[in-house]
């Protein structure tokens, strides 16, 4: 029930906001923040719940595909924390926007709740078609919000964002449809098993199609053309969601859908690691020379997510917890920085950091929050960013000293552009005269302060994040043990029946032992635990056993039909060789033989 509410309830709240009066600003504000708090509480409960899944419901069947698609939701540690970022950043955006939008606040809240539902669906979908549906659905409310509440170039930014992301996902749609034509259904295990039967070049082509969609959504160099203009022209509350939560859909796709389905060789893994590191270096250099505050944060986000992608494809044993901590830390720190640069923009009337300055004297409280957010973005010891980046650095060290050295260089560049950012905005003398605009409200300040406190809490106790993965593994282990205990007697009976009937061993009709070993290797590289791998492979073997039983039954039926045909031929010959009085005796003999054969 909790999963259904997190995915469907935000859309219901968006519809409820539609019937609310546009002129009653206070009522719309109270309703939006109340529901935002409710969804945040539900996301925390989801993290504490560990392994949660709904009952698969047959959704529809795509023409030309073998099996149906399912409405099936599934939560694990990674997905639950991404939902936490989605709900938490959406709530802070609703709080941050309440003092600057006025009568348009209701429409903004409608778009935020629709975007939240699409993001939650992306992170919780366990069916490939359902995942792709929500993955693309995120684009619609995000583009509308950019075009409605953005800056001077908002329409151009919305169009660029929509074209890039939709076109980038088109190859994935074709690749997914091809997989559905050869798999039993659109669940992850079925897709992984079906992929084993296609030629290697076809596997590589399908892999590239999936990778392209997630590379564009993250984004990774050189498919980042939409990011800078989108993040800079979108309103600051929306930009915080785009960089803190929505961009995580790309990295989530690599971990949850690419690694478990596709087998990787050394060349492909190395290519993605180097692509991630190239994106990190490029983003850091672009942030170092940026003068627009929002663009600086956009390139900074690109650099950090490039590190995350390189960490994912390091395929080390500690990859998953390291990347998870890094994603959560980046989501919170990048989000609060976008909220604060939005406050600085409305106080100074510009996003150009060269024209800011002196805010430490005019607004010490804001300057303290801005400086603290910048320092925590540096990943100093004691913050969640330090734990995430240092863990990823160790993962890259296991793969290559050169890769670890490049990441260290990126961290030095990160310190350079963040310290420059802090100095330009809150210290020194302003480069121009301006009238200070609307300041940061008390409620906003509390929300930003809570986000900074979370970075410290997760820095000193990252186990709050990583234990969600351990909880998932423990529950999966118990569930697998119970299922094995319940199914053990059935397996023994099946084995005895096979011996009694003296049926010859059948060849695998789905995957061979080598294919299962290959699937197990892919799951190991993807970070699945031993018990999780056993559960997935057990499903594959059960499917194979069912096919074997069906084949054995078909062979027995064919043998029985051949025996009946042979008896009928013998009976017909008897009619020709003997006289008519013997015809009845032959007929009786034939009937008896048929009954014996049927028995």
């Amino acid at each position: 029930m909790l999963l259904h509410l997190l995915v469907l309830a935000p859309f219901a709240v968006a519809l409820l906001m539609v019937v609310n009066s546009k002129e009653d600003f206070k009522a719309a504000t109270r309703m939006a923040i109340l529901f935002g708090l409710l969804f945040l509480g539900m996301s925390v409960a989801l993290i504490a719940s560990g392994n949660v899944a709904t009952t698969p419901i047959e959704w529809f069947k795509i023409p030309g595909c073998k099996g149906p698609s399912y409405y099936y939701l599934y939560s694990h540690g990674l997905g639950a924390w991404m939902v936490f970022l989605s709900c938490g950043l959406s709530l802070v955006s609703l709080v941050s926007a309440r003092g600057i939008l006025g009568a348009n606040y209701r429409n903004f809240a409608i778009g935020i709740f629709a975007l939240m539902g699409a993001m939650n669906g992306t992170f919780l979908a366990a069916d490939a078609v359902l995942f792709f549906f929500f993955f693309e659905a995120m684009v619609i409310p995000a583009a509308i919000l950019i075009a409605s509440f953005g800056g001077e170039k908002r329409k151009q930014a919305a169009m660029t964002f929509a074209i890039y992301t939709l076109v980038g996902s088109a190859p994935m749609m074709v690749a997914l449809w091809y997989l559905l034509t050869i798999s039993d259904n659109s669940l992850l295990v079925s897709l992984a098993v079906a992929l084993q039967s296609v030629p290697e070049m076809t596997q590589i082509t399908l892999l590239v199609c999936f990778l392209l969609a997630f590379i564009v959504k993250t984004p990774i160099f050189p498919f980042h053309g939409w990011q800078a203009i989108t993040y800079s022209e979108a309103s600051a509350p929306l930009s915080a969601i785009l960089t803190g939560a929505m961009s995580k859909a790309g990295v989530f796709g690599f971990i949850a859908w690419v690694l478990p389905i596709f087998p990787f060789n050394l060349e492909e893994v190395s290519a993605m690691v180097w692509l991630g590191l190239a994106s990190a270096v490029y983003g850091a250099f672009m942030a170092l020379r940026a003068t627009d505050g929002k663009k600086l944060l956009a390139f900074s986000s690109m650099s950090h997510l490039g590190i995350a992608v390189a960490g994912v494809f390091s395929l080390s044993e500690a990859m998953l917890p390291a990347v998870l901590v890094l994603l959560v830390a980046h989501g919170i720190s990048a989000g609060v920085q976008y909220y604060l640069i939005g406050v600085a923009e409305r106080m100074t009337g510009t996003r150009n950091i060269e024209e800011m300055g002196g805010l430490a004297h005019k607004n010490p409280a804001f300057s303290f929050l801005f400086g603290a957010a910048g320092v925590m973005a540096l990943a100093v010891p004691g913050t969640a960013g330090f734990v995430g980046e240092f863990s990823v650095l160790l993962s890259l060290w296991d793969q290559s000293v050169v890769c670890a050295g490049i990441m260290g260089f990126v961290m030095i560049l990160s310190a350079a552009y963040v310290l420059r950012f802090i100095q330009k905005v809150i210290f020194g003398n302003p480069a121009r005269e301006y009238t200070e605009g609307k300041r940061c409200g008390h409620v906003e300040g509390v929300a930003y302060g809570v986000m900074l406190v979370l970075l410290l809490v997760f820095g000193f106790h990252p186990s709050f994040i990583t234990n969600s993965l351990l909880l998932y593994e423990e529950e999966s282990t118990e569930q697998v043990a119970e299922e094995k205990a319940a199914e053990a007697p059935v397996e023994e009976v099946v084995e005895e029946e096979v011996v009694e009937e003296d049926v010859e061993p059948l060849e695998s009709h789905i995957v061979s032992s080598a294919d299962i070993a290959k699937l197990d290797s892919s799951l190991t590289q993807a970070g699945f635990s031993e018990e999780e791998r056993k559960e997935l492979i057990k499903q594959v073997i059960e499917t194979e056993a069912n096919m074997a039983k069906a084949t054995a039954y078909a062979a027995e039926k064919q043998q029985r039909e051949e025996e009946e045909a042979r008896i009928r031929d013998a009976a017909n010959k008897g009619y020709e060789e003997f006289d008519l009085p013997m015809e009845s005796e032959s007929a009786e003999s034939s009937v008896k033989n048929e009954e014996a054969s049927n028995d």
Side-chain angles (χ1 to χ4, degrees):
M1 187 62 180
L2 184 60
L3 297 176
H4 292 305
L5 288 175
L6 281 168
V7 174
L8 301 179
F11 295 107
V13 173
L15 294 176
L16 188 62
M17 293 290 296
V18 172
V19 301
N20 196 359
S21 174
K22 182 178 180 180
E23 303 300 328
D24 193 351
F25 164 71
K26 292 184 178 180
T29 302
R30 288 193 297 267
M31 179 182 292
I33 295 178
L34 178 62
F35 279 110
L37 285 169
L38 179 61
F39 288 127
L40 178 60
M42 292 165 61
S43 68
V44 174
L46 183 65
I47 294 173
S49 300
N51 182 23
V52 182
T54 63
T55 302
I57 302 173
E58 187 171 330
W59 194 12
F60 63 91
K61 185 176 181 180
I62 301 177
C65 298
K66 290 176 62 177
S69 299
Y70 295 93
Y71 178 78
Y72 183 29
L73 303 176
Y74 179 65
S75 171
H76 46 77
L78 177 62
W81 276 104
M82 296 303 100
V83 170
F84 172 79
L85 290 178
S86 169
C87 296
L89 292 173
S90 297
L91 171 62
V92 180
S93 294
L94 292 171
V95 172
S96 182
R98 70 188 185 94
I100 58 177
L101 293 180
N104 290 325
Y105 181 85
R106 186 201 67 168
N107 295 335
F108 180 80
I110 291 171
I112 290 296
F113 282 116
L115 180 59
M116 182 199 298
M119 289 190 295
N120 291 351
T122 301
F123 297 131
L124 297 177
D127 180 274
V129 175
L130 185 65
F131 168 80
F132 185 79
F133 171 79
F134 284 119
F135 186 74
E136 293 296 275
M138 291 190 298
V139 178
I140 300 174
I144 293 175
L145 286 170
I146 295 169
S148 301
F149 302 98
E152 295 180 357
K153 299 180 181 179
R154 58 184 181 273
K155 293 184 179 179
Q156 177 185 351
M159 186 65 67
T160 303
F161 167 72
I163 291 175
Y164 258 92
T165 52
L166 292 176
V167 172
S169 300
M172 177 182 171
M173 178 180 65
V174 177
L176 180 59
W177 178 82
Y178 175 81
L179 282 176
L180 294 177
T181 60
I182 60 176
S183 63
D184 294 332
N185 51 58
S186 53
L187 299 181
L188 187 146
V189 176
S190 297
L191 297 179
V193 172
L195 188 69
Q196 306 296 326
S197 62
V198 302
E200 183 178 357
M201 286 304 301
T202 304
Q203 291 184 14
I204 295 176
T205 302
L206 297 175
L207 171 62
V208 171
C209 292
F210 272 73
L211 290 177
L212 183 62
F214 299 133
I215 286 173
V216 172
K217 190 75 76 175
T218 302
I220 296 298
F221 177 85
F223 302 96
H224 64 286
W226 63 270
Q227 186 191 36
I229 186 173
T230 300
Y231 286 11
S232 60
E233 293 301 323
S235 62
L238 177 59
S239 296
I241 297 176
L242 295 179
T243 187
M246 187 174 175
S247 64
K248 305 300 183 292
V251 183
F252 176 84
F254 290 129
I255 299 174
W257 291 98
V258 173
L259 293 182
I261 294 177
F262 295 92
F264 281 84
N265 57 42
L266 186 60
E267 293 180 357
E268 294 161 350
V269 170
S270 299
M272 288 303 300
V273 170
W274 286 109
L275 192 61
L277 291 175
S279 181
V281 174
Y282 175 82
F285 274 117
M286 293 298 293
L288 192 59
R289 64 185 296 271
T291 57
D292 187 312
K294 285 186 175 180
K295 287 186 178 181
L296 186 152
L297 293 177
F299 288 119
S300 172
S301 176
M302 177 183 173
S303 179
H304 283 83
L305 292 176
I307 292 175
V309 171
V312 168
F313 288 94
S314 67
L315 302 180
S316 67
E317 294 182 359
M319 174 271 291
L320 186 56
V323 172
L324 176 57
V325 175
L326 178 61
L327 291 179
V328 174
H330 174 262
I332 298 175
S333 64
V336 71
Q337 283 185 297
Y338 260 109
Y339 293 129
L340 291 171
I341 193 61
V343 175
E345 181 183 0
R346 71 176 187 242
M347 285 195 299
T348 61
T350 180
R351 297 197 307 263
N352 191 337
I353 61 176
E354 300 290 346
E355 298 179 1
M356 294 183 182
L359 291 178
H361 302 288
K362 296 184 177 182
N363 197 332
F366 164 80
S367 299
F368 171 77
L369 292 175
F370 191 91
V375 171
M376 292 184 186
L378 290 176
V380 296
T383 63
F386 171 78
V387 177
E389 292 190 13
F390 186 73
S391 301
V392 173
L393 181 64
L394 294 179
S395 298
L396 291 176
W397 179 273
D398 292 338
Q399 176 160 348
S400 170
V401 177
V402 176
C403 293
I406 293 175
M407 181 179 169
F409 177 65
V410 171
M411 295 172 70
I412 295 174
L413 293 177
S414 174
Y417 66 71
V418 170
L419 292 176
R420 169 176 169 266
F421 189 37
I422 295 174
Q423 191 274 330
K424 292 289 185 181
V425 174
I426 63 177
F427 294 113
N429 296 318
R432 64 181 182 87
E433 294 293 331
Y434 58 83
T435 303
E436 186 176 353
K438 186 175 179 59
R439 293 192 172 198
C440 177
H442 297 296
V443 179
E444 289 180 71
V446 171
Y448 305 152
V450 170
M451 296 176 71
L452 297 179
V453 170
L454 284 178
L455 289 174
L456 290 175
V457 171
F458 294 151
F460 283 102
H461 293 283
S463 58
F464 287 143
I465 300 175
T466 57
N467 280 352
S468 61
L469 300 173
L470 298 177
L471 178 62
Y472 163 69
E473 292 178 359
E474 291 173 0
E475 293 185 355
S476 299
T477 301
E478 295 175 359
Q479 183 179 358
V480 170
E482 292 175 358
E483 292 179 356
K484 285 186 176 181
E487 295 177 0
V490 178
E491 293 177 355
E492 292 176 0
V493 172
V494 172
E495 290 178 359
E496 291 176 3
E497 290 177 354
V498 171
V499 172
E500 291 176 359
E501 295 178 1
D502 196 22
V503 179
E504 295 181 358
L506 295 172
E507 295 182 359
S508 173
H509 293 273
I510 300 179
V511 288
S512 63
S513 299
D515 291 331
I516 289 183
K518 190 175 182 181
L519 176 59
D520 182 59
S521 176
S522 299
L523 295 175
T524 303
Q525 293 176 351
F528 285 84
S529 66
E530 181 180 356
E531 296 300 332
E532 293 169 352
R533 298 198 307 273
K534 288 181 180 179
E535 173 65 15
L536 293 173
I537 293 175
K538 185 187 72 173
Q539 296 179 16
V540 175
I541 295 175
E542 287 177 352
T543 304
E544 183 181 16
N546 292 333
M547 289 291 293
K549 291 178 184 177
T551 304
Y553 175 77
E556 292 175 0
K557 183 177 179 181
Q558 182 179 0
Q559 184 178 1
R560 186 165 56 248
E561 291 176 351
E562 291 176 355
E563 183 67 18
E564 292 175 354
R566 185 183 62 79
I567 294 174
R568 284 194 297 270
D569 292 341
N572 292 333
K573 291 180 180 180
Y575 284 126
E576 298 175 357
E577 295 176 357
F578 297 98
D579 294 333
L580 184 61
M582 299 295 296
E583 181 177 352
S584 59
E585 295 180 4
S586 299
E588 291 176 359
S589 175
S590 176
V591 171
K592 290 179 180 180
N593 289 335
E594 290 180 3
E595 292 177 353
S597 175
N598 291 332
D599 291 339

